Amino acid sequence: MAGGLIGKGTANGKQYPGKLTFRVFVTCMVAAFGGLIFGYDLGISGGVTSMDPFLKKFFPDVYAKEMNMKPSDNQYCRFDSQVLTLFTSSLYLAALVASLCASSITRIFGRRLTMLSGGILFLAGAGFNAFAQKVWMLIVGRMLLGFGIGCANQSVPIYVSEVAPYKYRGALNTMFQLAITIGIFVANVLNFFFAKMKNGEGWRYSLGFAAVPAVMIIIGAIFLPDSPSSLIERGKDEKAKQELIKIRGTSDVDEEFKDLVEASESSMAVKHPWATLLKRHYRPQLVMAIAIPFFQQLTGMNVITFYAPVLFRTIGFGSNASLMSSMITGGFNALATFVSIFTVDKVGRRKLFLEGGAQMFICQIVITAAIASKFGVDGNPGMLPIWYAFFVVGFICIYVMGFAWSWGPLGWLVPSEIFPLEVRSAAQSINVSVNMIFTFAIAQVFTSMLCHMKFGLFIFFACFVLVMSGFIYKFLPETKGVPIEEMSVVWQNHSYWKKFVKSASEEANAKVDNSC
Ligand code: BGC
C-alpha cells in the first residue's frame, strides 16, 4: 500500500478526489436491494407460523397443542416446538453453506455475478414455498432461499464498500441495512393482510411474494457495473479505470487507481486467503469477522424479528393484535435506520455502537421487570391491563430503534470496510457464516429458551449487550472517513492491535515474501 501524505481527514491523510455521483448512488441503491431479499425472509416466517391454516396443513401437532391451550397453562411454553422453529431456522443453515462457497465465486467471477446467482436461487425458493403441498417442499424452498441469501450477503456489502467514495461509504453501506429493515417491514405488513384471507391460503401469498425482491436484485445485478477492485482482481485494468472515472465523476483518479492496483497485486500474491487470514498479522480482522456478527446476533434482536407475533401472543395479545404490533416494531426498525444513515459518517461507528448498546441494555432490563412482574415464574398472568400492552410494546420499540442505528447496520458495515483485499472475500465469508450460525441458533432455540428461562431470557441478552459494548470500547478503532485501502493504518495506531500488525515498511517486505 502506498505510504501516506500527512493531512486531515483520513488515517494517514490521504484524500482521493471524487464526489457522490448519481451513478454511485443508484449503483449502491440497487446493490443494497440485495438486503431486501434477506429482510423479507427474516420478517416473513414468524407471521406465517402464527397463521392457523398454515399450522393445520404442515404442523398439525403444533396446531392441536395451540388449540388445546388453556388460559391457566404456562404461557411461556405455548409455542415450544422444535419442528416449527426448524422451518424458520433451516434457511440460515443453507445460507451458511452458501456463504462459504460464495467466497470463491465472488473472487473468481466478481461481486455482480454472485448477486445475480443469489437472486435466481431466491426466485426458485419463493416458487417452491408458494406452491408447497408437503413439508419437504417448504424445506427445499427454505434451503434455496438460504443459498440465495448466502450469495447476496457475501457480495452486496463488499460491493457497496468498494464502489462508494470513502467519505460516504458508511451512509451508502447502511442502505443495505435499510433494505433489510424495509424487507422485514413489508413482510410484517403483508402477513397482517394475507392472514385475513378467507380461503386460508394467505400464507402462500406471503411466501410467494418473496419473488418480488428476487426479481429486483436480478434486474439490478444485470445492469450494475462490476466494482473497479473486482475488475482489477480479474485482470481487466483498463475497464476498471474507466469504471472508476465514471463512478467518481472525475478523471483525477490516478492516485486511487494506483492504490487499488497495488492492493490487488498484493491480494493476488496471496494464494491461500483462508490460511493467510489465520496469520498473526491479520488477527484484528479475524477477531472482528467473528466477534461482530456473533455479538450482533446476541443482542437478541432476532427474537423480535422472528418471533414478535409469538412473543406478543405469549404476553396476552390476540392473533390480530400480535401481527399489528409486529408491524409497528418493524416500522420503527426501518425508520430508525435513517438515523444511522445520516450520522454514521459524522459521529462515527464507535459512538453509535456504544449509544445503541446502552439503549438496548436499559430497555432489556425494563422489559424483564415488566414481564417478571406480571408473569412471574409460573407464566400465568391472569387478566392484563391495556396500559401494560402499550408499555411493553413501547419499550420493545425503543430497544429496536437502538439496534437499528447501531448493531444492525454496523454489524454489516464495519466488517465490510476493515478487510484488506487479499483476505476480503474469505473474511466476509466468515462474517456471514458466523452471522448465519447464530441467526440459526437463536431461531432454533428461542421458543424453548423462553419456555425454560422465562423472563430471564431478556437478562441473558442484556448481559451480552454489556459485554459487547465493553468489547467495542476496548478493541474497535474508529474507521469513519478512512479510505478502504488505507485501513491498515488504524490498526497500526491502535493501542492493543499495534503489536499484531506490521508497519508500512514491514508490510512492503511481507509483500515480497508472499510473492516468492
Ligand atoms: C441482522 C439480522 C436482523 C436485522 C434486523 C440485520 O442486520 O443481521 O439478523 O434480523 O438486522 O433489522
Side-chain angles (χ1 to χ4, degrees):
M1 260 163 236
L5 308 161
I6 304 300
K8 285 196 298 207
T10 70
N12 70 354
K14 196 169 272 196
Q15 295 186 341
Y16 304 129
K19 38 187 187 273
L20 179 56
T21 56
F22 183 66
R23 191 179 173 88
V24 166
F25 185 73
V26 174
T27 301
C28 292
M29 247 185 65
V30 175
F33 272 86
L36 258 190
I37 287 185
F38 185 35
Y40 189 80
D41 202 75
L42 285 163
I44 206 72
S45 56
V48 167
T49 51
S50 72
M51 293 182 195
D52 287 344
F54 176 82
L55 288 179
K56 223 194 279 182
K57 183 167 175 72
F58 295 107
F59 304 95
D61 296 349
V62 182
Y63 178 71
K65 183 178 165 204
E66 163 72 358
M67 285 297 108
N68 296 330
M69 192 92 199
K70 291 189 269 318
S72 57
D73 288 345
N74 183 342
Q75 300 296 314
Y76 288 125
C77 299
R78 194 167 165 178
F79 291 93
D80 184 16
S81 155
Q82 293 300 303
V83 196
L84 188 61
T85 48
L86 197 63
F87 166 72
T88 298
S89 65
S90 59
L91 181 150
Y92 303 98
L93 274 191
L96 164 69
V97 176
S99 61
L100 294 173
C101 312
S103 146
S104 311
I105 307 179
T106 34
R107 221 171 124 95
I108 300 167
F109 299 107
R111 327 305 187 211
R112 209 170 60 99
L113 211 70
T114 317
M115 278 187 243
L116 187 62
S117 329
I120 294 171
L121 286 164
F122 204 73
L123 191 60
F128 257 90
N129 273 351
F131 297 104
Q133 296 300 335
K134 297 267 181 301
V135 174
W136 72 262
M137 288 183 80
L138 280 183
I139 302 292
V140 169
R142 296 288 291 174
M143 309 278 276
L144 288 167
L145 295 174
F147 288 129
I149 286 170
C151 291
N153 288 18
Q154 163 75 18
S155 47
V156 172
I158 289 190
Y159 180 85
V160 175
S161 281
E162 287 177 347
V163 170
Y166 69 89
K167 277 181 276 186
Y168 307 105
R169 191 178 59 234
L172 290 172
N173 209 305
T174 306
M175 297 260 189
F176 179 62
Q177 176 69 12
L178 181 65
I180 296 179
T181 58
I182 292 175
I184 296 174
F185 179 61
V186 171
N188 296 154
V189 174
L190 293 183
N191 271 340
F192 180 72
F193 288 107
F194 288 144
K196 295 183 194 308
M197 281 179 74
K198 291 277 177 295
N199 63 3
E201 301 273 276
W203 60 270
R204 287 196 191 279
Y205 291 87
S206 287
L207 295 176
F209 204 82
V212 175
V215 170
M216 281 165 87
I217 181 114
I218 291 174
I219 297 175
I222 291 173
F223 291 106
L224 285 181
D226 239 323
S227 74
S229 303
S230 179
L231 289 166
I232 298 171
E233 207 175 30
R234 285 172 293 140
K236 301 178 183 174
D237 286 22
E238 200 33 52
K239 203 166 166 207
K241 188 155 188 188
Q242 291 316 318
E243 192 48 50
L244 193 60
I245 291 173
K246 278 194 220 150
I247 59 178
R248 293 289 175 260
T250 166
S251 50
D252 183 11
V253 294
D254 290 352
E255 177 81 11
E256 184 174 2
F257 184 70
K258 189 171 126 263
D259 282 354
L260 286 177
V261 172
E262 276 187 32
S264 170
E265 277 165 5
S266 53
S267 139
M268 251 120 66
V270 175
K271 295 281 174 290
H272 305 287
W274 293 94
T276 307
L277 190 58
L278 292 177
K279 288 189 181 158
R280 183 179 163 82
H281 177 50
Y282 293 105
R283 199 54 43 84
Q285 286 90 348
L286 181 63
V287 169
M288 294 301 159
I290 297 170
I292 291 182
F294 167 75
F295 283 139
Q296 190 204 49
Q297 290 307 313
L298 268 292
T299 55
M301 174 62 185
N302 276 336
V303 164
I304 307 296
T305 314
F306 298 141
Y307 296 115
V310 166
L311 190 67
F312 290 135
R313 284 190 78 164
T314 304
I315 61 171
F317 291 21
S319 165
N320 201 36
S322 299
L323 288 174
M324 167 79 100
S325 308
S326 319
M327 225 161 68
I328 296 172
T329 53
F332 274 101
N333 189 14
L335 282 179
T337 308
F338 282 99
V339 175
S340 200
I341 294 183
F342 292 116
T343 55
V344 67
D345 289 317
K346 295 197 184 79
V347 303
R349 287 62 165 147
R350 279 172 56 85
K351 283 201 183 118
L352 284 178
F353 264 129
L354 296 174
E355 192 285 333
Q359 189 169 326
M360 286 191 286
F361 180 77
I362 294 169
C363 291
Q364 279 161 327
I365 300 297
V366 173
I367 295 166
T368 305
I371 297 186
S373 71
K374 290 283 174 201
F375 285 76
V377 277
D378 59 0
N380 191 349
M383 274 301 283
L384 290 166
I386 188 82
W387 65 262
Y388 179 81
F390 279 107
F391 184 83
V392 175
V393 173
F395 270 91
I396 289 184
C397 287
I398 304 174
Y399 161 83
V400 164
M401 289 195 292
F403 177 89
W405 57 59
S406 63
W407 280 90
L410 299 176
W412 294 105
L413 168 66
V414 172
S416 77
E417 63 186 9
I418 59 172
F419 306 141
L421 188 59
E422 59 270 27
V423 291
R424 195 170 294 161
S425 290
Q428 178 69 357
S429 281
I430 295 189
N431 176 38
V432 179
S433 311
V434 173
N435 199 304
M436 292 306 143
I437 292 171
F438 288 95
T439 307
F440 165 78
I442 303 271
Q444 186 59 33
V445 301
F446 163 72
T447 52
S448 106
M449 274 172 97
L450 180 64
C451 178
H452 294 103
M453 294 172 78
K454 307 179 172 37
F455 57 83
L457 175 67
F458 298 95
I459 292 282
F460 170 83
F461 289 118
C463 293
F464 272 102
V465 170
L466 215 54
V467 173
M468 66 187 79
S469 300
F471 173 85
I472 295 293
Y473 183 75
K474 174 97 180 84
F475 296 110
L476 187 77
E478 182 55 66
T479 49
K480 156 187 97 166
V482 183
I484 207 160
E485 295 70 37
E486 298 297 313
M487 202 56 81
S488 56
V489 181
V490 301
W491 308 109
Q492 286 161 16
N493 292 341
H494 189 270
S495 59
Y496 179 78
W497 294 117
K498 67 178 173 211
K499 55 178 180 270
F500 289 89
V501 296
K502 300 185 181 95
S503 65
S505 58
E506 286 171 318
E507 245 182 54
N509 293 338
K511 260 183 225 167
V512 175
D513 291 350
N514 260 333
S515 51
C516 298

